[in-house]
């Protein structure tokens, strides 16, 4: 499992090639999704999640990450998939989304992948409700690129800070 993601230099880009995208690939119900590696802070194994009153059903609750209280989103429920009970090996992908740190519960974190930017295409109307920003074709794979900021929309007004430890 990827514990901390370090942004290394990556593969050198040839002068005549388009920009490259670095992605963290994860699976949900056997479907591959991705988030930009620059949005990812780290990947954790499942920890105790404190539920929040009056939270949307896709918001699992909050966790204490080294003194910072962060909300945790169940990606399966957020994307309209059947719920799956997490176990100790279930990963939480910690991402930075529009100035907020959020945990995303996935089935599996697969790899860090580099693809050419021209491999992306706009997601169709049939895609998950606004959480998928584009589809990426890479060799024989189809990845759905998640908009990490949209995944947490609708919960930003919850009083997460009220659960923070006193300084």
């Amino acid at each position: 499992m990827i514990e901390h993601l370090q942004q290394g230099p990556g593969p050198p880009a040839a002068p005549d090639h388009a920009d490259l995208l670095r992605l963290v690939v994860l699976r949900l119900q056997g479907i591959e999704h991705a988030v930009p590696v620059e949005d990812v802070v780290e990947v954790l194994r499942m920890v105790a999640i404190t539920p929040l009153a009056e939270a949307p059903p896709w918001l699992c609750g909050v966790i204490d990450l080294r003194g910072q209280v962060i909300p945790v989103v169940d990606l399966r429920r957020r994307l309209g998939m059947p719920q799956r009970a997490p176990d100790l090996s279930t990963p939480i992908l910690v991402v930075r989304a529009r100035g907020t740190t959020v945990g995303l519960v996935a089935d599996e974190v697969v790899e860090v992948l580099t693809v050419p930017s021209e491999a992306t295409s706009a997601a169709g109307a049939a895609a998950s409700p606004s959480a998928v920003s584009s589809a990426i074709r890479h060799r024989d794979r189809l990845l759905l690129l998640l908009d990490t900021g949209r995944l947490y929309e609708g919960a930003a007004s919850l009083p997460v800070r009220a659960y923070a430890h006193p300084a």
Side-chain angles (χ1 to χ4, degrees), residues 19-119:
D19 293 330
L20 298 175
L21 297 173
R22 293 188 65 214
L23 307 167
V24 175
V25 179
L26 52 104
R27 280 197 191 105
L28 296 167
Q29 198 175 345
I31 301 168
E32 289 189 318
H33 293 75
V35 295
V37 76
E38 62 268 10
D39 290 354
V40 179
V41 176
E42 65 184 291
V43 178
L44 308 170
R45 291 179 193 254
M46 183 53 65
V47 296
I49 299 174
T50 303
L52 284 174
E54 301 180 25
W58 46 265
L59 188 64
C60 303
V62 294
I63 62 172
D64 181 345
L65 182 63
R66 293 182 292 282
Q68 180 183 8
V69 176
I70 65 169
V72 179
V73 173
D74 181 338
L75 281 176
R76 277 177 162 254
R77 292 194 72 185
R78 183 67 171 111
L79 298 175
M81 297 176 182
Q83 188 174 4
R84 178 179 154 201
D87 58 34
L88 292 177
S89 65
T90 300
I92 299 175
L93 195 67
V94 179
V95 299
R96 195 83 156 119
R98 297 184 186 160
T100 302
T101 302
V102 178
L104 305 174
V105 177
D107 293 351
E108 178 183 10
V109 174
V110 180
E111 66 181 316
V112 175
L113 180 68
T114 302
V115 299
S117 61
E118 68 264 10

Side-chain angles (χ1 to χ4, degrees), residues 148-163:
T148 53
R150 289 183 181 171
L151 290 170
Y152 187 58
E153 280 180 357
S157 63
L158 291 172
V160 172
R161 285 188 175 81
Y163 292 81

